[in-house]
Amino acid sequence: MKEYDVVIGLEIHAELKTKTKVFCSCKNEFGSKPNENTCPVCTGMPGALPIINKKAVELCIKAGLCFGCKISNYAVMERKNYFYPDLSKAYQISQLVHPLCIGGQIELASGKVMRLNRIHLEEDAGKLTHISKSVGTLVDYNRGGTPLIEIVTEPDFSSAEEVDEFLKRIREALVFADIANCKMEEGGMRCDVNLSLKEKGSTILGTRTEMKNLNSFKSVSRAIEYEIKRQTEVLNAGEKVIQETRKWDDAKGKNLTMRSKEEAQDYRYFPDPDILPIAISEEDIAKIASEMPQLPQARRQKYVEEFGLPKYDAEILTTSKYISDYFEECTKLLNSPKKISNWIMVDLLKLVKEQEEFVFPISAQHLVEIIKMVEEKTINKTVGIQLLEKVIETRQPPKSLADKMGLLVTISNEQILELLQKLKAENTKVCEDYKAAPEKVVGFIVGYVMKNTGGKANSMLVKQLIPEVFG
Ligand SMILES: [Zn+2]
């Protein structure tokens, strides 16, 4: 039996986070009533003229900057002609010869570099809902004209794991930079997989198949595994893989022939005569670049190398830009990254884990104030957590709240010394034990003082004062 190398290329579509559609001013909104957000342009009425959404162009450029693409100074929107009921114009406005972003790359954890071919801007089609044979099919054009970016990769992937990691990198960057929501369950990010096998070590590529619109990380992985197995069986049986588009059925866990695959020439692309070419100056690019946030990968590196955090912490803290920004705001107020990380990961994240988009119920300033009080031992950690809950509940500043609630350590040195003297007088054994091996009874002595002060003494201070009485 022959062995094969797997060759995979991806086309990833992500809906851009704009208020309006890309070629008209209809709302770009998920979940509206069918055909509520439509107009003559996005329903393809004859003679309707498109405009172009500047924000969509900017977001596409921003995506290019995320992945190190070269940004074009000259880009052209083209018509991709095909008929389908969800595409009322019978052409999709897309880009072929002059895309907005060219090249780019993403490095995986293994160090393997995955090259991008391009990122271009285009529009989404409407949505068909097949009801039944007697009722027929319903069409909703709300999604028609929604701005999309298509990220096209080179065929650099050789496993489902590499694809999975890459898609997660793409998604986190697009979400972080506020380019797209990438809600896969709403179709906000979809992935087409081109896959072929070639004989191990050979440079001749095999025939590829395409699986379109995979809309979860899990189904991408399953579809790839299935197709590798299927093509291997076809080739091992001495047959040929047919170039085609295959539809992945996630419920059945298999794919089926959908149609023979079209090539670019089948679409008769040509520049859209209603939309002028887009000129992008270096100043435009510099302005967009200046608005880019630092991306998660760079932030993780900083957290590990500069802040000395474990990789695990760095991963969790960069799961959203909000958490990461919050964490960084805290570190600017208090230079104790690991302590801050612990508070966020252990005490804050559990409060918001049910939320779709995390928003902590306490400001960074107030959290840092609590952490400082614990560090300075004016309260202990347990009291700190109680205080955190109370601050969240009342929204009052921690210090004055702790004062009002009587949580602050208020025992003076004199009071501590007095208690130590009392213990010494009451318990001669402790004195003897202390002389023999101080480290063995320190805990007991501190415990005595804490018990007699309702836990309000500063334990560090007690330890410092013990030798004055017992030494
Ligand atoms: Zn419209």
Side-chain angles (χ1 to χ4, degrees):
M1 210 161 302
K2 282 178 187 156
E3 281 198 66
Y4 301 99
D5 286 331
V6 178
V7 180
I8 301 170
L10 306 173
E11 286 160 27
I12 300 146
H13 288 96
E15 281 178 358
L16 297 176
K17 237 172 130 176
T18 56
K19 288 197 175 72
T20 55
K21 294 187 182 182
V22 59
F23 301 119
C24 63
S25 50
C26 289
K27 262 194 267 177
N28 171 21
E29 199 175 69
F30 182 81
S32 301
K33 276 189 233 136
N35 296 305
E36 195 181 6
N37 305 324
T38 56
C39 74
V41 174
C42 57
T43 47
M45 295 297 160
L49 288 172
I51 48 167
I52 188 155
N53 185 336
K54 193 176 167 209
K55 179 82 180 168
V57 174
E58 284 176 6
L59 291 179
C60 182
I61 292 172
K62 221 174 170 188
L65 293 174
C66 285
F67 309 117
C69 303
K70 185 190 173 314
I71 309 303
S72 307
N73 296 116
Y74 175 82
V76 176
M77 302 309 304
E78 299 202 39
R79 290 186 180 181
K80 179 183 181 180
N81 298 282
Y82 68 97
F83 173 76
Y84 205 66
D86 64 6
L87 186 73
S88 48
K89 297 196 299 290
Y91 62 85
Q92 177 196 27
I93 304 175
S94 180
Q95 297 193 284
L96 183 69
V97 185
H98 298 287
L100 278 164
C101 314
I102 299 160
Q105 63 179 52
I106 291 180
E107 190 180 323
L108 300 185
S110 66
K112 190 171 169 184
V113 171
M114 300 303 180
R115 294 166 303 153
L116 304 190
N117 173 284
R118 53 153 61 205
I119 303 177
H120 68 245
L121 179 68
E122 61 183 31
E123 61 178 331
D124 209 347
K127 194 175 186 309
L128 297 178
T129 308
H130 305 290
I131 304 294
S132 66
K133 269 197 179 138
S134 57
V135 177
T137 295
L138 302 176
V139 61
D140 176 5
Y141 288 117
N142 278 347
R143 205 179 62 181
T146 295
L148 290 179
I149 47 169
E150 180 172 337
I151 301 170
V152 183
T153 77
E154 297 294 347
D156 289 348
F157 302 85
S158 49
S159 69
E161 290 77 38
E162 285 179 356
V163 170
D164 189 63
E165 188 186 342
F166 181 86
L167 289 177
K168 284 177 181 154
R169 287 283 167 78
I170 293 268
R171 185 176 67 168
E172 71 171 12
L174 295 181
V175 172
F176 235 80
D178 213 23
I179 294 167
N181 282 326
C182 296
K183 288 183 182 162
M184 295 184 92
E185 66 284 1
E186 292 177 6
M189 178 171 160
R190 286 112 63 186
C191 181
D192 302 348
V193 174
N194 291 294
L195 190 150
S196 66
L197 300 183
K198 64 181 174 67
E199 272 186 44
K200 215 171 183 60
S202 166
T203 51
I204 304 160
L205 288 173
T207 306
R208 66 193 164 92
T209 60
E210 184 179 37
M211 290 180 285
K212 275 184 149 350
N213 289 331
L214 297 163
N215 64 357
S216 75
F217 289 114
K218 217 170 157 194
S219 63
V220 171
S221 290
R222 290 178 70 211
I224 289 172
E225 300 289 358
Y226 177 87
E227 186 59 11
I228 292 171
K229 195 164 161 275
R230 191 191 70 83
Q231 288 193 20
T232 305
E233 284 167 8
V234 169
L235 294 174
N236 281 341
E239 290 163 23
K240 281 187 175 152
V241 173
I242 299 162
Q243 183 171 342
E244 61 186 352
T245 300
R246 298 183 67 88
K247 190 177 165 56
W248 172 250
D249 185 331
D250 208 42
K252 292 194 179 119
K254 62 185 203 172
N255 68 26
L256 297 163
T257 296
M258 199 158 95
R259 58 170 184 261
S260 63
K261 164 87 182 125
E262 306 84 353
E263 293 292 343
Q265 63 266 26
D266 299 331
Y267 292 113
R268 306 288 300 172
Y269 278 91
F270 66 88
D272 193 306
D274 292 335
I275 302 173
L276 286 172
I278 306 163
I280 303 135
S281 68
E282 291 303 322
E283 289 75 52
D284 294 334
I285 300 169
K287 183 171 179 292
I288 297 168
S290 72
E291 290 158 5
M292 294 277 293
Q294 190 177 34
L295 294 175
Q297 220 173 338
R299 291 192 193 214
R300 282 194 286 270
Q301 200 177 347
K302 179 169 82 184
Y303 296 176
V304 172
E305 288 171 10
E306 283 177 37
F307 293 167
L309 292 186
K311 267 188 179 161
Y312 176 78
D313 291 38
E315 284 286 339
I316 305 261
L317 293 170
T318 52
T319 44
S320 88
K321 181 166 176 296
Y322 175 81
I323 297 172
S324 185
D325 285 348
Y326 185 95
F327 167 71
E328 291 189 13
E329 197 184 335
C330 291
T331 59
K332 279 182 195 133
L333 299 166
L334 177 70
N335 186 20
S336 295
K338 181 57 185 152
K339 287 219 167 75
I340 294 166
S341 166
N342 287 348
W343 277 83
I344 291 177
M345 297 204 313
V346 180
D347 302 298
L348 283 190
L349 277 174
K350 69 172 180 209
L351 300 173
V352 294
K353 64 174 190 269
E354 303 293 327
Q355 294 175 4
E356 196 184 337
E357 279 176 42
F358 297 149
V359 177
F360 293 140
I362 178 169
S363 69
Q365 286 79 359
H366 284 176
L367 179 72
V368 165
E369 211 173 290
I370 296 175
I371 300 174
K372 269 188 189 159
M373 286 162 80
V374 175
E375 269 199 0
E376 289 161 359
K377 304 228 178 306
T378 52
I379 53 173
N380 64 32
K381 176 82 200 255
T382 319
V383 174
I385 292 164
Q386 288 169 11
L387 182 59
L388 174 76
E389 287 163 3
K390 208 69 193 169
V391 170
I392 290 169
E393 192 187 309
T394 63
R395 309 259 160 190
Q396 287 183 42
K399 234 175 213 155
S400 61
L401 192 61
D403 200 20
K404 259 186 242 164
M405 291 166 70
L407 298 174
L408 292 176
V409 171
T410 48
I411 307 299
S412 67
N413 286 14
E414 287 67 35
Q415 283 170 295
I416 295 170
L417 287 167
E418 221 170 87
L419 279 165
L420 291 174
Q421 293 291 0
K422 190 164 170 258
L423 175 66
K424 193 181 173 184
E426 278 172 2
N427 195 332
T428 45
K429 192 171 177 302
V430 177
C431 285
E432 285 160 23
D433 288 350
Y434 185 84
K435 291 219 166 69
E439 69 281 0
K440 287 193 180 156
V441 283
V442 162
F444 172 81
I445 300 172
V446 171
Y448 173 86
V449 174
M450 296 310 267
K451 199 176 138 200
N452 285 284
T453 55
K456 286 187 184 173
N458 180 328
S459 59
M460 291 292 285
L461 195 59
V462 176
K463 273 185 201 160
Q464 282 167 19
L465 294 175
I466 291 172
E468 285 187 27
V469 177
F470 287 84

